[in-house]
Amino acid sequence: MSSTLIDRSPSTEREAGRWWALVVLALAQLMVVLDATIVNIALPTAQADIGFDDHGRQWVVTGYALAFGSLLLLGGRLSDFFGRKRMFVIGLVGFALASALGGAAGSLELLIVARALQGVFGAALAPAALSLLSTTFTEPAERGKAFGIFGAISGAGGGIGLLLGGVLTEYVSWRWCLYVNLVIAAIAVAGAFLKLRDEPVPAHGRIDVPGTITAVAGLVALVYGLANAESDGWSSTATLGPILAGLVLLTAFVLIERRSTHPLLPLRVVLDRNRGGSYASIAIAGAGMFGIFLFLTYYLAGILQFTPIETGLAFLPMLGAVMLTATTAGSMLAPKIGPRPLVPVGALIAAGGMTLLTRLELDSTYVSGVLPGLIIIGLGLGLVFAPTQNAATSGVEHRDAGVASAMINTVQQIGGSIGTALLSSFAATAAADHMAGKEPTPLAQAQAALESYHTVFWWSAGFFVLAAVVAAVLFRTGPLDVDPDAPPAMAH
């Protein structure tokens, strides 16, 4: 058969291998992202099955957030030192085993341990996946497409988790919300061995022990304090003490990094305007996103009486909108014009969608009340996620790709923790103010809940506006920098 009919050239095979590598990396990213919401759907059923109080339920969520958020920088640096594919596979296998432990848990303590272990291995997996994507796709046009798809997965994963969690909890068991990670991880591990290749591991210095200790301790304290804010209030010692300690430790971390010969986080990574802009934008947008997934879920379930499956399905149009803009405008325009026009516009569109949700009433319907806002928010988020993730690793030296990738996950985690704490506090205050002096009738309580949701949606819109302003100020005009000495694509 002639070569004109079947092209088996090495370049064609390498190109096909790169896109299969993207499938593997996106699958792993989906597992990490959806785990945040899929477990939330399962928690009420797990609470009734195992038997634990609401305080214990909070620790099932916080245990994961503490381990994941505090260890990301270390996980990213280890992938730079010991190989990204190696850390990727270790993260996948460990995450799967921790999920199996959680699925089999017969006590609250074991479930919390399993969630913390998920966070530990997720902190190895997430930066390795993003840095592999960065070193695999180095040509601007292909890079834009790849980050568009990867950004769509990141933006849509939370909603997919709600849907999958609802289906598994209602028709199988809450335990399968954890067991499902075994299936995803097995496919991704097989794909990693078949389709991923890493760069040779360069000679490296020692691990920055003082920097690691202060970074991990500071992030743990900060996330722990923010988690306490929801239950104990902002004036509580349990809230303020850890937050202040975290800020002091993180300040010490920056001072250590300025003087370290082998820093955990080289300051050159974050001081670049485009990368700094991406980190700041995604942190602020991450805070705003919790107004969508958390409090809109409360509205759908509490006011509209949606089942878990109906709630998950309700988010599908938003996920479609995210994927549409992330894989079209976000991927095609970002390599040509850079993130500066796209991210502010996307954040403002998302803010507009949030303001539509502030018009929801007790008698609103999904189609006329919820759906328009959801679609608009999704269209905006697609323009935020793809360019920011691309910018976070563009132009970075390959020896720093892991820690640069870790930073985007770290700031998103911290932004989400801040958003959860702030928005929960604002919601509780709004509900209490509405009920002041009123008889606690079911109608009054429902109206108080609605007031709290309106408050959260307004604040989330404000977060998105702030993200737009920060992005417009920090991002440089023009296309992103790409490493001119990038090696050939790292995939079979």
Side-chain angles (χ1 to χ4, degrees), residues 249-288:
L249 286 165
L250 291 175
T251 301
F253 168 69
V254 173
L255 296 175
I256 289 169
E257 298 308 275
R258 290 180 63 185
R259 294 171 172 79
S260 176
T261 307
H262 305 288
L264 177 70
L265 175 63
L267 295 185
R268 61 179 175 268
V269 171
V270 295
L271 293 179
D272 175 83
R273 275 185 62 182
N274 277 342
R275 285 194 290 276
S278 69
Y279 298 145
S281 301
I282 206 67
I284 299 167

Side-chain angles (χ1 to χ4, degrees), residues 28 31-32 64 67-68 71-72 75-76 86-99 101 113-129:
M31 183 176 73
V32 173
Y64 176 84
F68 184 67
L71 293 173
L72 275 163
R86 181 178 300 170
M87 292 302 294
F88 181 77
V89 172
I90 289 172
L92 279 172
V93 173
F95 198 94
L97 293 176
S99 300
L101 181 66
V113 168
R115 288 286 287 160
L117 287 173
Q118 278 187 314
V120 170
F121 288 104
L125 173 60

